[in-house]
Amino acid sequence: MTAPQTWMCLICGWIYDEAAGDPEHGIAAGTPWADVPMNWTCPECGARKEDFEMVAI
C-alpha cells in the first residue's frame, strides 16, 4: 500500500489529503484520489477535479 498523497487545487490552493478525505462533502477519510468522483468539486472555490495536481507536503 502506498502512503497517502496530497492534491492541491491550482485555483485557490486548497489541499485534498487522502488520509483525511473530505467527510463534510461525502468523501471518507482514506479515500484515494483516484476514487474521488469526477463530479466532486473543491469545497473552497468549486474548481473541478482536473484543476488539482499532486503535491508533496
Side-chain angles (χ1 to χ4, degrees):
M1 184 170 156
T2 60
Q5 296 176 320
T6 50
W7 298 78
M8 184 178 73
C9 177
L10 298 174
I11 308 301
C12 73
W14 187 82
I15 300 291
Y16 174 80
D17 182 345
E18 292 179 340
D22 184 19
E24 291 181 19
H25 298 96
I27 309 297
T31 301
W33 184 247
D35 294 342
V36 172
M38 285 305 296
N39 64 351
W40 176 87
T41 58
C42 176
E44 288 292 314
C45 72
R48 299 179 314 245
K49 188 176 172 185
E50 58 259 27
D51 292 323
F52 281 72
E53 78 177 21
M54 189 172 57
V55 293
I57 294 187

